[in-house]
Amino acid sequence: MQKSLRVCLWMGVAGIVLFSVRALGQKSDTSRKITYYTHGHIYTNDAKQPWAAAMAVRDEKIFCIGSLEHILLDCGGAKPEVETFNLKGAFVMPGFNDAHTHLGSAGRDKLTLDLEELQQRVRAAVAQHKPGEWIVGSGWDQTRWPERRFPNKDDLDPVSPNNPVFLVHISGHVGVANSVALKRTEILPDTKNPTGGEIERDADGNPTGMMKEGSAMEFVEQKIPEPTDEERRKGIELVLEELARNGVTSAQDNSAWEDFLVYHQLKEEKKLTVRITEWLPFMAPVNELQNMRSEGGTTDPWLKTGALKMVTDGALGSRTAAMLAPYSDAPDTSGILTLEPEKLKAMALERDKLGFQLAFHAIGDRANRVALDVFESVLRVNGTRDRRDRIEHAQVVAAEDIPRFGTLHVIASMQPSHQSNDMRWAEQRVGPERIKGAYAWNSLQKAGATLAFGTDYDVEPINPFRGLYACLTRELPDGGPPGGWQPQEKLPLDNCIRAYTSGSAYAQFEEGKKGELKVGEYADFIILSQDLTKATPKQILGAEVLQTVVGGRTVYQKK
């Protein structure tokens, strides 16, 4: 371990300041330590003081920020051990707050099959498994295949005759099972479609293997063995490492309660490297929700419970997103609502009255309208309060519904990188008119909505620079279309950053605590390979995180 050196710094103004210098990233106890970060190019995200050269951290928070002279002369004095990190002119900004993640399932996916070439991957996996063992995977996307059709059991059976196989679409809203897996389910010839889901059948009424939406997928998933405690923790540890590498210092998460218990264990061991707000399942009985809220807490700065998450429809890619009119490329369907609107409203009224924040997944324009109608009813019946209800995705919104986000103070929790992937085929799904209300973050912001950006990880990679690039350019990662797709929805960089930091903090009632680098906020920040404010969009897309700091503690440093 490098020894601390005692040095003198002459400021050219009154006095000499003594402080200690340590190697960048070296770990130490942060409970009483004061740390100076000096000689940096610090983007604070604070409109009153946009830039700083140095900051001082104590007890996990920033207690002084500004010029180098201010930090060393006005924030010094007789204090506990002081150490200094010389940033050497590096660009520093607040850590990213991903407003929509699935960390638990991402952890399980780390330990399962990641699919690109479906049949080849399954064949290879079969060779590594004993007959009868489950093969589970995710990530296939039929829009990247020549035929662009959904797979079925007939595609899987030839390469997996003795193993049950279940492979989930990249959206997470449909999955395909082979015949062995179907035999292990409770699906019979007369089994009806579950509420909010569909068991796809052929002309003879036999299941094809395609399961649409969670209630249908559950027929297969309930037969898949749960990961062991060791496997669950290992997957989550891998996920946390990935978040730290990508500069994510806070995550708003939708995982199982068993995953939350792993986060809690890591926190108790002081190994949690990201602040997590865990959503609770909207459909759970209210007594269970109250118990989980009580057990998980709502105030811990590292780990707490938050909103109630409800999935109201499916996904655009699988044509299960609920639309007001049929799909342009499939006029026989307009998607799936997972719950009758009146039932959804009744449950929302009950849960809102207990003080829960509501977060509704809504992708299609019908689902978004239903969600807004429910929030409007909640406001009318239960009265005014600072509830900050959210629509997760808000992917396709009818023009007449966009102003309602501002009127009802509904947060638009969106994932710009979805647009980068979906723009290849989205207009085919909904046509040239409806597409104008798709991924419309600029229109929503102008209507008064607070934007909270995330990735939907691991539907999309956790990398936040992909989201900034999409927000800024609305172009494919490789470039084009010229000027961007639906360019009227582009936002300037500072707005994109705010949505990914302070906007996400507001969405979880933590504005003033994180999202900006200013006095009193958590010392959650990242050091990057380049100044984003001077970089081209391509350079932003390729930006690298050199160091991630959460609560004044380095949780990642590029080697």
Side-chain angles (χ1 to χ4, degrees):
M1 179 179 293
Q2 181 176 327
K3 294 182 179 179
S4 297
L5 301 175
R6 208 62 159 169
V7 300
C8 295
L9 176 66
W10 172 250
M11 293 300 304
V13 292
I16 294 176
V17 180
L18 295 177
F19 57 93
S20 165
V21 180
R22 294 182 66 123
L24 192 66
Q26 186 172 319
K27 294 182 178 180
S28 65
D29 178 26
T30 61
S31 60
R32 288 179 48 79
K33 181 185 68 180
I34 290 177
T35 306
Y36 290 155
Y37 294 88
T38 65
H39 300 88
H41 191 50
I42 303 173
Y43 180 87
T44 68
N45 202 34
D46 177 6
K48 295 181 180 179
Q49 184 181 341
W51 293 95
M55 59 183 169
V57 173
R58 177 181 59 204
D59 297 330
E60 297 195 10
K61 295 182 179 180
I62 298 167
F63 77 92
C64 201
I65 187 165
S67 66
L68 186 62
E69 292 87 348
H70 174 56
I71 299 302
L72 296 178
L73 296 181
D74 301 333
C75 304
K79 298 183 181 297
E81 179 193 37
V82 175
E83 60 182 358
T84 292
F85 291 164
N86 188 332
L87 295 166
K88 299 180 180 179
F91 178 79
V92 179
M93 64 172 286
F96 291 102
N97 183 341
D98 195 308
H100 188 117
T101 65
H102 303 268
L103 303 183
S105 60
R108 287 182 282 285
D109 287 346
K110 289 285 187 185
L111 306 177
T112 60
L113 186 64
D114 182 19
L115 296 171
E116 291 179 2
E117 299 297 329
L118 188 130
Q119 287 179 315
Q120 291 89 329
R121 294 290 186 94
V122 173
R123 183 183 288 111
V126 166
Q128 299 174 10
H129 287 72
K130 297 177 182 177
E133 289 183 339
W134 276 91
I135 295 173
V136 181
S138 65
W140 59 269
D141 181 357
Q142 85 287 352
T143 68
R144 296 184 179 275
W145 301 341
E147 297 180 23
R148 296 198 170 195
R149 68 170 179 84
F150 287 105
N152 56 44
K153 60 182 175 61
D154 294 334
D155 298 304
L156 300 179
D157 288 350
V159 294
S160 56
N162 301 309
N163 294 83
V165 176
F166 190 58
L167 311 174
V168 179
H169 185 259
I170 189 171
S171 69
H173 286 267
V174 296
V176 61
N178 70 349
S179 292
V180 179
L182 288 174
K183 288 179 182 178
R184 296 196 181 187
T185 70
E186 299 173 359
I187 298 174
L188 302 173
D190 59 348
T191 299
K192 296 181 179 179
N193 285 331
T195 300
E198 179 186 345
I199 303 167
E200 186 180 83
R201 299 176 186 273
D202 60 23
D204 297 324
N206 298 312
T208 66
M210 275 292 295
M211 304 291 176
K212 298 181 179 181
E213 294 307 313
S215 57
M217 295 164 68
E218 179 65 19
F219 279 98
V220 180
E221 290 175 334
Q222 66 181 345
K223 300 298 181 181
I224 300 173
E226 285 289 317
T228 65
D229 292 343
E230 292 77 13
E231 290 170 338
R232 188 182 297 274
R233 173 159 173 154
K234 177 60 177 176
I236 287 173
E237 288 175 338
L238 292 172
V239 163
L240 296 185
E241 290 173 6
E242 187 170 4
L243 265 63
R245 281 197 307 273
N246 283 277
V248 177
T249 56
S250 287
Q252 298 168 47
D253 184 46
N254 184 26
S255 295
W257 190 249
E258 291 79 7
D259 299 315
F260 180 86
L261 297 179
V262 175
Y263 308 151
H264 180 73
Q265 183 182 43
L266 290 168
K267 183 180 81 73
E268 292 299 300
E269 296 173 6
K270 301 188 183 304
K271 295 179 180 178
L272 195 59
T273 54
V274 63
R275 302 183 194 275
I276 298 175
T277 297
E278 186 63 40
W279 297 338
L280 303 178
F282 177 90
M283 294 296 293
V286 292
N287 63 315
E288 291 184 16
L289 292 173
Q290 289 174 305
N291 288 339
M292 284 189 283
R293 180 168 63 178
S294 177
E295 181 180 346
T298 59
T299 59
D300 189 285
W302 281 93
L303 180 64
K304 64 179 184 176
T305 62
L308 304 187
K309 169 71 180 301
M310 172 63 190
V311 176
T312 68
D313 72 339
L316 206 60
S318 57
R319 299 187 186 88
T320 54
M323 304 298 296
L324 292 167
Y327 280 86
S328 299
D329 61 352
D332 59 333
T333 183
S334 56
I336 296 173
L337 277 179
T338 62
L339 194 64
E340 288 296 321
E342 286 303 311
K343 177 64 173 176
L344 179 65
K345 181 172 71 174
M347 296 179 71
L349 286 167
E350 180 183 33
R351 285 152 178 75
D352 174 83
K353 191 170 289 186
L354 294 171
F356 286 106
Q357 182 188 23
L358 306 179
F360 287 178
H361 160 119
I363 288 183
D365 53 10
R366 185 185 179 201
N368 275 278
R369 180 168 294 177
V370 167
L372 291 166
D373 288 346
V374 169
F375 294 152
E376 188 172 28
S377 296
V378 166
L379 174 62
R380 184 177 63 252
V381 176
N382 288 350
T384 302
R385 70 175 175 86
D386 185 11
R387 47 177 49 90
R388 304 190 194 183
D389 291 332
R390 308 164 49 139
I391 291 184
E392 304 300 315
H393 309 304
Q395 214 157 295
V396 183
V397 183
E400 58 268 35
D401 286 329
I402 287 177
R404 299 177 69 194
F405 278 77
T407 302
L408 297 171
H409 306 291
V410 173
I411 291 164
S413 174
M414 306 180 77
Q415 301 77 43
S417 54
H418 276 322
Q419 176 258 334
S420 297
N421 185 50
D422 298 356
M423 63 189 287
R424 297 174 294 110
W425 46 260
E427 191 165 340
Q428 299 172 25
R429 292 284 191 273
V430 300
E433 285 305 312
R434 287 185 290 185
I435 203 65
K436 294 176 183 177
Y439 318 88
W441 40 77
N442 185 31
S443 294
L444 286 164
Q445 181 173 265
K446 285 182 177 178
T450 296
L451 298 180
F453 279 173
T455 58
D456 203 8
Y457 175 72
D458 66 331
V459 174
E460 296 281 351
I462 194 67
N463 182 348
F465 303 108
R466 296 176 74 248
L468 292 182
Y469 175 85
C471 175
L472 187 63
T473 68
R474 294 183 71 91
E475 293 185 14
L476 292 166
D478 293 333
W485 181 66
Q486 299 294 325
Q488 73 277 3
E489 297 300 339
K490 291 192 287 189
L491 287 175
L493 179 64
D494 57 347
N495 287 21
C496 300
I497 291 175
R498 276 197 294 270
Y500 233 129
T501 52
S502 54
S504 294
Y506 178 86
Q508 59 176 164
F509 295 91
E510 292 203 276
E511 74 278 10
K513 295 182 179 179
K514 55 187 177 183
E516 300 167 324
L517 299 180
K518 62 183 183 182
V519 173
E521 297 211 9
Y522 297 127
D524 299 350
F525 60 89
I526 54 178
I527 304 171
L528 301 184
S529 58
Q530 56 194 304
D531 182 347
L532 297 189
T533 66
K534 297 179 180 178
T536 66
K538 279 289 187 181
Q539 290 172 330
I540 290 175
L541 185 62
E544 288 187 295
V545 176
L546 303 180
Q547 188 168 345
T548 302
V549 178
V550 187
R553 175 167 61 98
T554 296
V555 298
Y556 167 75
Q557 186 170 5
K558 182 177 173 61
K559 297 179 180 179

